[in-house]
Amino acid sequence: MVIRERPRSVQLRMAISPGSDAAFSSQKSTPSESPQTKKFPQTEEEIFYMNCRAAYLTVFKSSLENIVSKDQLYLALQHAGRNPSQKTINKYWTPQTAKLNFDDFCIILRKEKPTSKAELLKSFKQLDVNDDGYILHTDLYKFLTKRGETMTREEVNAIINLVDVNADGKFDYIKFCKLYMTTNEQCLKTTLEKLEVDSKLRRHQFGNHVEASSERDPSPVRKPSPRIIRKTNQKTFSNKGDTRSSLLSATRKFKTSLSFTITMGANSNQNSKLTEPNLIKDWQCMQSKGCFFLEEDGEIVSHQYRMQIAQRSMVYLTIKPLNLSQVEGKPSPWLSVDTTLYILKENESQANLQLVCFTELRNREVFGWTGELGPGIYWLIPSTTGCRLRKEVKPVTDEAQLVYRDETGELFLTKEFRSTLSDIFEVIDLDGNGLLSLEEYNFFELRTSGEKCDEDAWAVCRENFDTKKNELTRQGFMDLNLMEANDREGDPCDLWVTLHSMGYNKALELTEACPFVIDIYAEKCKPKIKAVHMEACSGQLEKAICKSVLSKGDAKVMDGYENIIVHTYNCDTWITSVVENKSDEKVIIHINNELSKNCVNNRGLNVFAVEVAPKSTMVCQHVMPLNEQQEWVYYCIYSLIS
């Protein structure tokens, strides 16, 4: 999220210090001009080292760790997209080898080029007696187990049991080659994304290669171990003609797989219909608004709430997208975005939260839950799958005008911009009383400028803009934005930062946010709700989703790997899968959705890979129908890879 360089709290203070404005304006540069944001394109050398790091850190916690066995070398080379035969491993791991470091690994990768799809296909084609793209299981079994370097019976069975490349006693090697290549690409992409996100890893000194600076410091001289130097002038063996080596190492990459198939009828969401409790009009009600915001990296941020129930009572909770459209018969486009509310009970501390329930029943765009809650403090964590709230694809060519000057030179907000600001006011007015309190305004400030407005700045705001009961009116909010435009002498730069932060594009369309409204009804007491955070939909939410899927979903164990379990939960509106890794080692799961029909997932990819840490669970994907009026088929294959 881009934020303005000068928060409104500063601008508010400057409203009563006019002499300082010009000096500040002359010093300010746009975000794109900031030296810290300038990026040089990566050189081939830097890309090579980044890929080396990605592969190395898939096997090791740090690049300062050493490779201490043949198995580790084999794994690291596979994660680098190489196809090492036993002969290749023995070439670099001799009886005298005790360890290899990261620099040794880089040198090996320079020598051993990745296996191409064409080379792999050529190897398999030699076994294709009918030239039809298939190899009989009997022929494959004989070839891989009978001569030279062989695979075990269990390894061959794992290949034959791969769901998406075997049928009718035949092995589809064309599909397998595609699977192999996309798996390599996705594994590398997954680890590179992890490096990008993890700032600690980005700052880490990998081996003797230090992250290049913006001035392009020369790459330091690497110091490989003596055993690698001695091998430099030795003959390099090629695997290109070694059919057996290529097939063995490629097929060994996949350990086992399983599949889920779920067929959902048109309008399947009506199977779990939400109904209001009887006599709900006599229950006490509280309401609060909020919003999902889509970040640049695809992460979703939203408000989070604390709810207080004074005594044991039946409670009816709902969440739905907030319709801002003023045109009858033309609802807001984001009403199709799914919304869910997870309810967690606070036990002794905020850190100790227990999942109680979530709003899984649905009536059109409303998701709800009815049940009894005891007295206490509860956390309400909104969630959306991300299947329908996603980055805008189509470019916007025409930029809306935000301000204009009349014939006297006075600055005004355009009608279109005022309408957009009115909608923003509606969203950030969380309690819906038509006024903005300091707390409500600060959620807006944190979102758009990254800083809160303190009491002094708020006092200036009350003195200079229309307020009521110490809260900012809609007109005052409009005037505050006009002040911002005047502060920049009509330049709408900061106004656009605000709009983009709130999810609007250049055409003033809300495309990367989804406002919502929460209603709480309690039969025997008046519930209380308060927005307390605006955070990424992860952490506690991820734990809550995993726990709900594990308790409600169907579980399948990876054949031969009882510690790797895939859980799938179907709530009629969407399907969520969670991977549970009970082992002491991290695992990589390859996911293939290519045979699904009329489906969209939150990752935006049909084929991808996820890394699951040891002794952990993680949400793998959410899947929804593209068109709810038609049947949709979820067919997903999960493959455990080395």
Side-chain angles (χ1 to χ4, degrees):
M1 180 186 73
V2 179
I3 59 175
R4 64 170 50 79
E5 295 186 5
R6 179 167 29 164
R8 289 188 193 82
S9 56
V10 175
Q11 292 175 304
L12 286 169
R13 290 193 184 93
M14 290 171 58
I16 54 174
S17 304
S20 62
D21 182 63
F24 195 103
S25 297
S26 66
Q27 295 174 8
K28 181 174 180 180
S29 61
T30 63
S32 60
E33 295 169 342
S34 172
Q36 296 178 347
T37 60
K38 289 185 178 180
K39 291 185 178 180
F40 292 90
Q42 287 184 310
T43 65
E44 287 187 13
E45 183 77 359
E46 288 172 329
I47 293 172
F48 171 76
Y49 270 100
M50 183 63 73
N51 291 342
C52 290
R53 294 178 199 128
Y56 207 81
L57 291 175
T58 303
V59 180
F60 303 101
K61 292 182 179 179
S62 165
S63 61
L64 299 179
E65 290 186 37
N66 290 320
I67 299 172
V68 295
S69 70
K70 284 185 178 182
D71 288 342
Q72 288 182 345
L73 176 59
Y74 178 81
L75 277 175
L77 288 174
Q78 276 207 329
H79 286 299
R82 276 30 175 198
N83 202 15
S85 65
Q86 193 59 50
K87 184 188 295 185
T88 302
I89 297 297
N90 291 339
K91 180 171 60 168
Y92 298 107
W93 194 277
T94 69
Q96 290 75 39
T97 305
K99 61 183 179 180
L100 298 172
N101 61 29
F102 175 71
D103 293 322
D104 299 334
F105 179 68
C106 294
I107 290 175
I108 294 173
L109 291 187
R110 287 191 187 280
K111 294 181 180 181
E112 304 297 328
K113 302 303 179 185
T115 302
S116 70
K117 185 177 180 180
E119 290 170 348
L120 204 54
L121 282 169
K122 183 179 178 181
S123 298
F124 279 114
K125 200 169 180 65
Q126 297 179 43
L127 301 179
D128 183 4
V129 294
N130 297 320
D131 197 26
D132 60 358
Y134 294 93
I135 301 171
L136 291 174
H137 285 171
T138 52
D139 293 341
L140 187 67
Y141 187 84
K142 289 177 183 177
F143 184 81
L144 296 177
T145 62
K146 297 299 182 184
R147 302 191 305 272
E149 183 184 339
T150 62
M151 293 178 70
T152 65
R153 181 184 296 272
E154 290 75 17
E155 287 176 323
V156 179
N157 286 338
I159 301 306
I160 291 175
N161 290 329
L162 285 174
V163 181
D164 45 351
V165 295
N166 291 279
D168 303 323
K170 293 186 292 186
F171 175 71
D172 187 336
Y173 66 85
I174 296 175
K175 273 189 178 180
F176 176 81
C177 290
K178 181 182 178 182
L179 175 66
Y180 176 81
M181 301 307 293
T182 55
T183 299
N184 280 345
E185 293 167 3
Q186 287 301 320
C187 288
L188 178 61
K189 181 181 177 182
T190 299
T191 314
L192 287 173
E193 288 174 348
K194 186 177 178 182
L195 286 179
E196 183 67 24
V197 171
D198 193 334
S199 60
K200 292 182 180 179
L201 286 177
R202 286 207 308 272
R203 292 194 300 267
H204 200 87
Q205 180 175 331
F206 294 94
N208 294 321
H209 178 78
V210 183
E211 197 77 69
S213 69
S214 58
E215 284 80 23
R216 293 273 188 244
D217 292 333
S219 296
V221 178
R222 295 172 298 281
K223 298 178 181 179
S225 62
R227 57 193 167 279
I228 293 294
I229 296 175
R230 286 199 299 272
K231 294 178 181 293
T232 302
N233 297 322
Q234 295 179 5
K235 181 179 178 181
T236 302
F237 297 94
S238 173
N239 290 322
K240 289 187 177 180
D242 189 344
T243 301
R244 180 178 301 278
S245 296
S246 296
L247 302 193
L248 286 171
S249 51
T251 51
R252 275 193 175 118
K253 191 175 189 74
F254 300 90
K255 300 297 187 183
T256 185
S257 69
L258 57 82
S259 67
F260 281 89
T261 305
I262 302 174
T263 300
M264 304 295 293
N267 299 308
S268 58
N269 58 75
Q270 296 181 4
N271 296 339
S272 54
K273 192 84 179 258
L274 174 69
T275 56
E276 289 185 351
N278 295 327
L279 303 176
I280 193 173
K281 64 181 184 296
D282 297 328
W283 294 18
Q284 299 187 68
C285 177
M286 287 294 290
Q287 185 182 89
S288 184
K289 289 179 281 189
C291 194
F292 296 111
F293 296 103
L294 190 59
E295 299 284 51
E296 288 298 319
D297 61 0
E299 191 172 41
I300 295 174
V301 172
S302 81
H303 295 81
Q304 296 183 3
Y305 307 81
R306 288 183 77 188
M307 176 181 72
Q308 183 176 359
I309 301 294
Q311 66 182 90
R312 183 169 296 277
S313 174
M314 289 296 294
V315 174
Y316 177 59
L317 284 158
T318 65
I319 181 172
K320 66 178 180 180
L322 176 65
N323 186 16
L324 296 174
S325 175
Q326 304 298 320
V327 181
E328 187 175 350
K330 189 180 179 182
S332 300
W334 56 86
L335 292 190
S336 63
V337 173
D338 58 284
T339 58
T340 315
L341 201 59
Y342 285 83
I343 298 93
L344 295 87
K345 177 75 182 296
E346 183 175 302
N347 295 320
E348 297 178 358
S349 70
Q350 179 182 331
N352 185 17
L353 299 180
Q354 179 183 1
L355 175 65
V356 176
C357 58
F358 69 99
T359 55
E360 58 183 317
L361 299 181
R362 178 183 178 188
N363 183 9
R364 299 176 66 87
E365 71 271 13
V366 182
F367 288 80
W369 174 86
T370 305
E372 188 176 61
L373 293 179
I377 302 296
Y378 296 83
W379 283 76
L380 306 182
I381 305 182
S383 172
T384 182
T385 61
C387 293
R388 293 180 179 165
L389 180 59
R390 47 203 313 167
K391 300 298 289 183
E392 189 177 29
V393 179
K394 63 175 183 178
V396 178
T397 53
D398 297 326
E399 181 177 309
Q401 185 178 356
L402 304 185
V403 296
Y404 70 97
R405 293 187 185 276
D406 65 5
E407 59 274 7
T408 67
E410 187 176 355
L411 199 66
F412 292 91
L413 306 179
T414 63
K415 180 181 178 181
E416 295 77 13
F417 184 37
R418 288 181 65 85
S419 176
T420 300
L421 287 175
S422 182
D423 284 347
I424 291 175
F425 184 92
E426 198 67 34
V427 172
I428 63 179
D429 176 20
L430 301 182
D431 61 10
N433 71 343
L435 301 169
L436 293 183
S437 66
L438 176 57
E439 286 184 343
E440 290 172 328
Y441 181 76
N442 270 334
F443 278 114
F444 171 71
E445 271 295 300
L446 285 170
R447 179 67 198 162
T448 58
S449 71
E451 292 188 13
K452 286 186 175 183
C453 176
D454 59 25
E455 291 289 349
D456 292 339
W458 190 245
V460 173
C461 183
R462 294 200 306 270
E463 291 173 9
N464 290 271
F465 303 105
D466 187 40
T467 59
K468 186 177 180 181
K469 299 178 181 178
N470 290 326
E471 296 187 333
L472 192 64
T473 66
R474 192 180 301 261
Q475 183 59 50
F477 182 68
M478 299 284 183
D479 293 340
L480 181 60
N481 282 274
L482 180 59
M483 178 207 74
E484 195 165 1
N486 275 305
D487 184 58
R488 292 297 301 266
E489 298 182 351
D491 183 351
C493 174
D494 278 351
L495 299 178
W496 277 118
V497 171
T498 295
L499 290 167
H500 291 322
S501 299
M502 295 300 293
Y504 286 85
N505 64 15
K506 289 289 187 180
L508 295 182
E509 298 168 330
L510 185 60
T511 57
E512 296 186 359
C514 173
F516 57 79
V517 58
I518 297 170
D519 287 293
I520 308 170
Y521 295 84
E523 184 182 21
K524 296 183 178 179
C525 62
K526 186 171 184 178
K528 294 181 180 179
I529 182 173
K530 181 180 181 181
V532 289
H533 295 303
M534 184 184 288
E535 294 183 352
C537 295
S538 56
Q540 287 287 357
L541 177 60
E542 174 96 359
K543 293 178 183 177
I545 294 174
C546 287
K547 189 169 183 179
S548 66
V549 171
L550 263 61
S551 65
K552 292 175 173 286
D554 295 327
K556 286 189 179 181
V557 178
M558 286 281 187
D559 188 27
Y561 297 85
E562 66 277 1
N563 287 327
I564 313 300
I565 308 165
V566 179
H567 302 262
T568 301
Y569 173 62
N570 171 22
C571 75
D572 295 325
T573 299
W574 69 83
I575 293 169
T576 297
S577 69
V578 167
V579 177
E580 182 180 12
N581 177 15
K582 294 182 178 180
S583 72
D584 295 322
E585 302 291 335
K586 63 183 176 183
V587 297
I588 295 179
I589 306 294
H590 180 276
I591 294 92
N592 189 332
N593 294 297
E594 289 180 313
L595 297 179
S596 293
K597 296 179 181 178
N598 187 29
C599 289
V600 60
N601 67 51
N602 63 307
R603 294 179 179 269
L605 297 168
N606 281 331
V607 180
F608 58 93
V610 295
E611 181 181 295
V612 189
K615 304 292 185 183
S616 71
T617 57
M618 73 169 293
V619 176
C620 179
Q621 65 176 341
H622 302 287
V623 180
M624 293 186 72
L626 272 170
N627 185 345
E628 291 187 342
Q629 309 306 315
Q630 299 175 3
E631 178 184 84
W632 52 296
V633 179
Y634 170 75
Y635 184 86
C636 184
I637 298 163
Y638 298 82
S639 300
L640 174 64
I641 59 180
S642 58

